[in-house]
Amino acid sequence: MIAFKLAYRNLVGAGLRTFLIVFVLSVAYVLIIFMNGLYQGWEREGKFEMIRWEVGQGQYWEEDYDPYDPITLTDAHAPLPVSLAKATDNGSAAAILITQATVYPEGRMLGIMLKGISAGQQVLAIPTEQFASREDEIPALIGTRFAQSANLNVGDRMLVRWRDVNGTFDATELTIAGIFNSSVPAVDNGQIWISLEKLQQMTGMPGEATLLVMGEHADMPAEVAGWEFKGHDVLFAELDQMIKTKSIGGSVFYLILLALALLAVFDTQVLSIFRRQREIGTYISMGMTRSQVVGLFTTEGAMHAILALLLGAVYGTPLLLYIGSKGLGMPEGTDSFGLAAAQRIMPYYSAALVIGTIILVIVATTIVSYMPSRKIAKMNPTEAIRGRIQ
Amino acid sequence: MKNGTIITIENLAKHYPMGGGKFTALSDINLTFSKGEFTGIVGPSGSGKTTMLNIIGSLDTPSEGATNVLGTTSREMTPKVAATLRKKHIGFIFQTYNLMSVYTVYENVEFPLLLLKKSVSERKKAVMDAIQWVGLTDKIKSKPPQLSGGESQRVAIARAMVKRPELVLADEPTANLDAKNSHHILRTMEQLNRELQTTFIFATHDDKVIQYLRRIITLEDGTVASDEIAKQ
Ligand SMILES: Nc1ncnc2c1ncn2[C@@H]1O[C@H](COP(=O)(O)OP(=O)(O)O)[C@@H](O)[C@H]1O
Ligand SMILES: [Mg+2]
């Protein structure tokens, strides 16, 4: 306690130099929390939206399905397994059948993924209730991105051409019944959604699906013959990887700032131990042991981090909370990476992030304060009092 | 030890390594000091006064011989024991004052009591008393850079005295002071010596100090040339 008091007095007495170091350290705190909060917010938001629009609580894939290889789609369909039928029937799982197709809006030709999804599903946010509109035509749903890039509007009719189960081409007309706005490009770009029953009829694959998206209330059996379960670990792997890459890139900035501040603390310590020999000798003459003096100087250096924490809290808390409530606009085209990204990201500052950052900065500052201070333990007090140590 | 003896020094020698061999700063020292003395170790520069004071103050250790300072022998004197001895029983006064420039007068004087973990109220009373002894009550909020040399040394005296130690060691306390201030601080120390029975040992070659001494130990080239009671 006394060490804190003395360290505080000494630091405050040192004036501008202390303030500059404390300021830079405080910026390091705020920046570390802000940047990581942003990535965590993005991750949370991204996952939340992906769960809502694409992945649910996990998926069962027909064993031949490979999303990276559209050629496999001709084989990647199978009758729904009995163990999952109940969930699909009551809407707690969404069955999806996927096939490649071509559409011809106003004479143009576009290669697309035609996806059939059960109309009664309550798992994904895709507004499948709109399928129930009319009997005579095929109502289709698309996302805003695709609508914009392909210049499609509600009410547009177009020819669609696909191969059925035997590989024979067939064609019919579908109508854009609705355009939904999702932050998940994977359900939007180049995709047209129609009802599962319609697609099953069109392709001659009644009762079949390519994958099943499971909702919160669905039972998820561990083993389903012919189907493979993909949990969040697999389905989020790409998003996780991307955020990790980005956050490593982003961390370079604040790590440099932190390193600069630590260097300044180190330098201050070296200098003050050299300049304050007489003071060190005097402490010893008054009955402090050398290790107590080491502790005093270490505390003094580490105190930079404590003062920086207070200063950082003063301007950082309102700043971070403000950005946290308003969100941060993402630059155009962030979602062109093909991964979920909202227009605005809400940074998320977890307790672990805040506490972890505080510990990181305090521990790092303490270490760089301690290293030069060890020299005191080897000082001869009589020489220190005379200020004669070189 | 005789009744009233607080320090004994037997066959003390102090060598410093120097070049290939060694330099002898003190040799053949045999001395005793009693409670309440007001004594000076006197001699020209380089005669070994500071070295002797540092050994008495347990900041340094003898190369040969033995000491007993306030009941602790040089054999028992580990750095930790020495630190405790200084913390509780010994006050130092230096030629260069050695005040902490960022602390106020009050905080400088308070420091030894913080080390002793005294309560707030004990500290406050003792600090105010000590500052009053040296006549600086109006300067408690000042910091050392705002004080004159004489005032600074008075703060140093208050700091050395605040814990009411048995022994005060003052190394050339007047060397940086003019005559008026020298007399002032010497009268202050003389008075504290009388009122609190604190033992004072000076290292000095200043005639103004010597006038006040009741016992004068003269060092020449690291040995005791004379040890006499001053006639006043
Ligand atoms: N650490 C040391 N190493 C070598 N010589 C020293 C050391 N300290 C003191 N001396 C020498 O010992 C002698 C006595 O020094 P000191 O006790 O400081 O004398 P005084 O205080 O009487 O001027 C001097 O010649 C000085 O140079
Ligand atoms: Mg000397």
Side-chain angles (χ1 to χ4, degrees):
Chain A
M1 209 50 233
I2 160 177
F4 274 97
K5 197 166 169 181
L6 297 175
Y8 177 77
R9 283 177 190 169
N10 272 314
L11 277 190
V12 169
L16 187 63
R17 190 188 176 84
T18 304
F19 176 76
L20 285 177
I21 295 176
V22 164
F23 180 71
V24 175
L25 267 176
S26 76
V27 175
Y29 274 117
V30 173
L31 214 57
I32 292 175
I33 293 174
F34 170 67
M35 301 276 274
N36 285 289
L38 199 61
Y39 291 119
Q40 285 189 7
W42 183 9
E43 182 182 343
R44 263 166 60 104
E45 187 106 346
K47 289 186 174 171
F48 180 77
E49 291 297 309
M50 278 175 78
I51 288 171
R52 223 159 74 80
W53 287 96
E54 186 191 357
V55 304
Q57 298 302 319
Q59 301 179 342
Y60 288 91
W61 292 4
E62 200 282 333
E63 60 189 359
D64 291 324
Y65 175 56
D66 176 0
Y68 299 104
D69 185 2
I71 307 294
T72 60
L73 283 174
T74 43
D75 297 323
H77 53 87
L80 281 176
V82 198
S83 57
L84 299 173
K86 192 179 150 222
T88 354
D89 287 348
N90 69 19
S92 63
I96 296 176
L97 179 65
I98 309 175
T99 187
Q100 280 185 290
T102 312
V103 285
Y104 301 87
E106 294 163 355
R108 289 173 293 141
M109 184 176 102
L110 293 171
I112 56 140
M113 289 288 175
L114 193 55
K115 295 191 170 179
I117 179 167
S118 19
Q121 62 86 23
Q122 282 148 35
V123 180
L124 299 180
I126 297 168
T128 47
E129 69 282 355
Q130 297 185 24
F131 291 148
S133 54
R134 277 159 293 186
E135 275 297 309
D136 49 331
E137 44 190 28
I138 303 174
L141 295 171
I142 57 172
T144 46
R145 284 179 194 75
F146 185 50
Q148 198 177 13
S149 68
N151 194 19
L152 299 175
N153 294 300
V154 173
D156 285 2
R157 298 164 149 264
M158 69 199 80
L159 190 71
V160 61
R161 195 161 166 266
W162 72 97
R163 281 170 194 268
D164 69 15
V165 69
N166 302 314
T168 318
F169 278 108
D170 200 351
T172 185
E173 193 163 71
L174 50 76
T175 307
I176 305 295
I179 296 175
F180 59 83
N181 186 1
S182 161
S183 65
V184 183
V187 297
D188 179 338
N189 288 331
Q191 323 228 345
I192 296 183
W193 297 84
I194 60 173
S195 101
L196 180 65
E197 289 75 22
K198 272 276 165 30
L199 188 59
Q200 286 170 338
Q201 280 169 26
M202 286 157 62
T203 52
M205 302 171 186
E208 297 196 12
T210 305
L211 60 95
L212 270 142
V213 184
M214 308 306 287
E216 275 178 60
H217 306 294
D219 293 333
M220 290 188 256
E223 290 285 336
V224 182
W227 296 74
E228 277 171 32
F229 182 72
K230 306 286 176 184
H232 280 167
D233 49 339
V234 176
L235 298 169
F236 287 146
E238 218 173 323
L239 180 70
D240 284 338
Q241 185 55 44
M242 151 121 156
I243 288 173
K244 199 171 148 199
T245 313
K246 292 240 148 216
S247 70
I248 289 170
S251 66
V252 168
F253 190 54
Y254 61 70
L255 287 180
I256 288 175
L257 197 74
L258 183 60
L260 277 177
L262 293 178
L263 203 69
V265 173
F266 185 89
D267 186 55
T268 301
Q269 290 292 97
V270 171
L271 204 74
S272 82
I273 287 159
F274 178 75
R275 278 201 313 219
R276 289 159 63 191
Q277 288 176 41
R278 229 183 256 281
E279 178 181 337
I280 291 166
T282 308
Y283 287 138
I284 294 172
S285 79
M286 288 193 284
M288 286 178 88
T289 62
R290 280 180 292 193
S291 49
Q292 276 178 311
V293 182
V294 172
L296 182 64
F297 276 71
T298 305
T299 308
E300 192 174 310
M303 197 80 162
H304 285 107
I306 311 257
L307 295 179
L309 176 62
L310 299 178
L311 178 64
V314 166
Y315 71 84
T317 311
L319 190 70
L320 292 180
L321 288 180
Y322 177 75
I323 300 174
S325 67
K326 287 272 163 187
L328 199 77
M330 293 301 282
E332 286 291 326
T334 309
D335 62 7
S336 61
F337 292 111
L339 291 166
Q343 257 60 56
R344 299 191 78 77
I345 289 188
M346 298 297 189
Y348 175 70
Y349 316 113
S350 64
L353 170 62
V354 174
I355 293 167
T357 304
I358 293 172
I359 291 175
L360 168 78
V361 176
I362 292 180
V363 167
T365 311
T366 306
I367 290 171
V368 296
S369 306
Y370 171 69
M371 287 190 312
S373 310
R374 284 176 308 175
K375 196 175 172 207
I376 296 169
K378 299 191 199 96
M379 276 189 185
N380 178 338
T382 64
E383 311 239 306
I385 288 169
R386 297 192 228 197
R388 283 212 311 217
I389 297 163
Q390 291 313 305
Chain B
M1 276 195 280
K2 250 189 346 212
N3 213 5
T5 301
I6 58 166
I7 300 164
T8 57
I9 298 173
E10 285 169 10
N11 304 320
L12 171 79
K14 180 72 187 179
H15 312 295
Y16 290 111
M18 210 193 186
K22 57 185 184 181
F23 172 81
T24 299
L26 291 172
S27 62
D28 287 330
I29 311 283
N30 287 281
L31 288 170
T32 61
F33 296 86
S34 306
K35 185 169 169 59
E37 283 194 25
F38 202 75
T39 298
I41 298 165
V42 176
S45 185
S47 57
K49 307 180 295 291
T50 297
T51 305
M52 180 118 116
L53 224 53
N54 285 341
I55 291 174
I56 294 172
S58 76
L59 285 170
D60 208 346
T61 49
S63 307
E64 290 169 30
T67 59
N68 184 324
V69 179
L70 302 168
T72 307
T73 66
S74 46
R75 273 176 213 294
E76 306 165 329
M77 201 73 84
T78 62
K80 216 171 163 161
V81 171
T84 306
L85 181 69
R86 289 193 296 273
K87 182 162 71 183
K88 290 190 176 157
H89 303 297
I90 302 176
F92 283 87
I93 296 167
F94 305 99
Q95 173 181 341
T96 48
Y97 326 131
N98 292 17
L99 301 177
M100 312 305 168
S101 59
V102 301
Y103 304 167
T104 62
V105 166
Y106 185 96
E107 289 163 347
N108 266 283
V109 175
E110 184 187 28
F111 195 98
L113 302 179
L114 291 175
L115 293 181
L116 288 168
K117 300 192 161 69
K118 298 279 189 206
S119 71
V120 181
S121 56
E122 276 180 297
R123 291 204 305 264
K124 190 164 164 75
K125 171 147 196 343
V127 171
M128 293 314 290
D129 283 351
I131 290 174
Q132 202 184 351
W133 294 334
V134 298
L136 284 176
T137 309
D138 56 332
K139 300 268 182 184
I140 53 170
K141 292 219 169 74
S142 306
K143 291 191 175 165
Q146 303 156 346
L147 301 177
S148 71
E151 287 167 338
S152 295
Q153 197 59 299
R154 279 145 68 193
V155 176
I157 293 169
R159 180 176 69 180
M161 291 302 301
V162 70
K163 62 192 177 192
R164 305 193 184 214
E166 293 182 53
L167 177 62
V168 171
L169 303 170
D171 193 354
E172 314 266 13
T174 57
N176 291 356
L177 300 182
D178 60 20
K180 184 164 165 278
N181 277 303
S182 298
H183 286 293
H184 188 143
I185 69 148
L186 281 157
R187 277 196 298 273
T188 305
M189 289 191 278
E190 200 180 37
Q191 192 180 354
L192 289 167
N193 163 261
R194 220 177 298 119
E195 286 174 10
L196 303 172
Q197 288 297 297
T198 311
T199 306
F200 277 79
I201 303 177
F202 295 85
T204 186
H205 59 277
D206 180 353
D207 289 333
K208 295 187 292 300
V209 180
I210 295 170
Q211 289 174 42
Y212 288 84
L213 299 175
R214 294 201 293 275
R215 176 185 173 192
I216 299 169
I217 298 165
T218 310
L219 283 188
E220 261 169 41
D221 290 334
T223 58
V224 177
S226 68
D227 179 358
E228 51 204 18
I229 304 299
K231 36 198 174 306
Q232 281 179 347

